[in-house]
Amino acid sequence: MALDRTPVDDAVVRADLTIIGAGPTGLYAAYYAGFRGLTAAIVDSLEEPGGQVMALYPEKPIYDVAGFPAVLGKDLVAGCLEQAESAKPTFLLGHRAEQLARVDAADERSALRVTTHRGTVVESSAVLIAGGIGTFAPRPLPGSSEWEGRGLLFFVRELDALRGQRILIVGGGDSAVDWALALEDIAASVTLVHRRDAFRAHAGSVDRLLASTVDIRVHHEVRRIEGGECVQRVVVFDNRTDEETVLDVDTVIAALGFTTDLGPLRSWDIEHDGRRINTDSCGATSIPGVFAAGDVVDYPGKVPLISTGFGEAATAVNNAAIWIDPDARLMSGHSSDA
């Protein structure tokens, strides 16, 4: 699907609502903005829409979206993008939001200006931050950096590329378990090592893992990777006895999680805890006219699910509509009325 990427630097783009983040939450917010009759501009530092889902696990099944017992990340993004396109938003992909300021610093109801690292200015009446987990980087597998690009992966972009291979997965979270299950019938063999005997992954997924043919080695860690041009062997050890085992593998997937950072948003004088932005029940932040939704948001009782982000996006957009036009109704109708 062709996107309007607004490639010209030093341009000024105007919309009713600026959405920062083109992941599922941001895309749904754009759709809902259109439903409310608002124009939207979507800013994202990545070169393609989909956010963390497309960057990290496009072929991983997602289980927490209503109406889908399971949906691949890339398919969810495709649906969200098609839905967002109905509102005809302006996409500024490959643009990192750097600065936030008001047209009139003395008037809290004046328009907001978001400036990207490429010099493009987006001017709007309200801003919705849907930047997911912010900037992110994979947690390294200690002592293994030399193997990146030579058989060491941090996420799986294409499952079929690993067909027939001997796979070692390191980790005990959702990504590690889901990839192990997804690769079970594709790879020649799948071994999963985890330093503890308790998994952080969803309980249902862990039950499926335990009933699978995956070779599960708990209380095990990677000591070193060996090989020539590419990975050929991995030495793992039992962290209770220090006993070593040599595994013949073709690919190592280090699913150890990611470090995250709010990045430039830290300088926006917005209330946050260092990793997440604080909002009220309306999705409003500490800056008037700036709202937030999705994984970037925190509040008491927050449950960080994609489905939660969709609800937060609808709440934030509806409240942004009132900020933009105080005479507007909070709830103008249902999407089934469109």
Side-chain angles (χ1 to χ4, degrees), residues 63-336:
Y63 301 103
D64 64 359
V65 179
F68 296 94
V71 59
L72 293 182
K74 63 181 181 181
D75 294 335
L76 174 63
V77 168
C80 289
L81 181 58
E82 181 180 358
Q83 190 179 41
E85 281 284 270
S86 69
K88 297 179 171 58
T90 298
F91 284 87
L92 290 93
L93 302 175
H95 284 254
R96 183 176 63 251
E98 289 279 352
Q99 301 173 12
L100 176 70
R102 291 196 183 278
V103 172
D104 181 353
D107 180 5
E108 71 172 22
R109 295 202 65 87
S110 69
L112 291 154
R113 284 178 174 162
V114 173
T115 305
T116 77
H117 79 293
R118 289 169 55 179
T120 300
V121 174
V122 188
E123 189 173 298
S124 60
S125 299
V127 171
L128 171 58
I129 302 170
I133 59 175
T135 60
F136 51 87
R139 295 186 187 279
L141 183 63
S144 302
S145 59
E146 65 183 286
W147 296 100
E148 291 182 38
R150 299 165 57 200
L152 172 63
L153 305 176
F154 293 100
F155 48 88
V156 180
R157 295 280 308 206
E158 186 179 351
L159 289 171
D160 204 57
L162 301 179
R163 182 173 297 278
Q165 293 193 17
R166 299 164 298 179
I167 308 295
L168 173 66
I169 299 175
V170 185
D174 283 309
S175 291
V177 172
D178 289 345
W179 279 326
L181 291 171
L183 288 164
E184 181 184 10
D185 295 329
I186 295 176
S189 64
V190 179
T191 301
L192 184 145
V193 299
H194 183 37
R195 61 190 177 88
R196 300 186 300 159
D197 60 0
F199 291 89
R200 301 185 310 279
H202 188 277
S205 298
V206 174
D207 289 341
R208 290 174 55 209
L209 176 71
L210 296 176
S212 73
T213 61
V214 174
D215 180 7
I216 306 166
R217 298 177 182 239
V218 296
H219 292 296
H220 276 70
E221 301 179 52
V222 172
R223 175 146 286 162
R224 64 183 177 275
I225 297 175
E226 300 176 345
E229 291 294 321
C230 299
V231 171
Q232 294 176 312
R233 296 172 299 280
V234 177
V235 179
V236 300
F237 68 96
D238 187 318
N239 56 27
R240 299 163 299 183
T241 65
D242 205 42
E243 179 182 358
E244 292 186 346
T245 303
V246 178
L247 303 174
D248 293 326
V249 302
D250 302 301
T251 296
V252 178
I253 302 171
L256 302 174
F258 295 84
T259 58
T260 63
D261 195 325
L262 288 175
L265 273 63
R266 288 175 174 272
S267 66
W268 287 14
D269 196 28
I270 196 168
E271 185 178 324
H272 61 83
D273 64 5
R275 297 177 63 242
R276 301 288 187 269
I277 294 172
N278 300 323
T279 68
D280 62 16
S281 60
C282 300
T285 72
S286 58
I287 301 176
V290 178
F291 299 80
D295 286 348
V296 75
V297 165
D298 193 26
Y299 50 79
K302 164 81 176 194
V303 179
L305 299 174
I306 290 177
S307 53
T308 303
F310 290 150
E312 291 169 348
T315 297
V317 170
N318 277 303
N319 282 278
I322 294 177
W323 173 263
I324 295 168
D325 178 8
D327 293 329
R329 295 169 57 193
L330 175 61
M331 186 65 181
S332 64
H334 299 275
S335 56
S336 56

